[in-house]
Amino acid sequence: MRNTDKFFDSKMIVNLVLALSLMLSAIYYLNYSDEIEDEVTTVIVNSVKDANNSLAEQESVRK
């Protein structure tokens, strides 16, 4: 095998694809980090509110 054949084997191609995917993900995150943070915060706050409401309903049924 030549050196170029060894360099572009399947493992190298997979590693290059993974590296490219990670770089693109990082760029996307940096561009939209504020929007992503707002959405995650909204989801977490709504989940906590739903859990709190559910607990309050259970307590009111028990009394």
Side-chain angles (χ1 to χ4, degrees):
M1 280 182 127
R2 298 180 316 188
N3 286 341
T4 56
D5 292 338
K6 291 180 185 177
F7 183 75
F8 288 111
D9 62 350
S10 61
K11 289 181 183 178
M12 179 60 81
I13 292 171
V14 169
N15 287 338
L16 290 172
V17 168
L18 286 173
L20 181 62
S21 299
L22 287 173
M23 286 191 297
L24 290 175
S25 297
I27 291 169
Y28 180 81
Y29 178 78
L30 289 174
N31 286 338
Y32 298 103
S33 62
D34 292 334
E35 293 175 26
I36 293 170
E37 183 179 344
D38 291 341
E39 289 294 325
V40 169
T41 302
T42 301
V43 168
I44 291 172
V45 168
N46 287 339
S47 296
V48 170
K49 285 180 182 178
D50 289 342
N52 191 21
N53 289 338
S54 177
L55 290 172
E57 287 176 10
Q58 288 177 0
E59 285 296 318
S60 66
V61 169
R62 289 181 186 167
K63 291 183 179 182

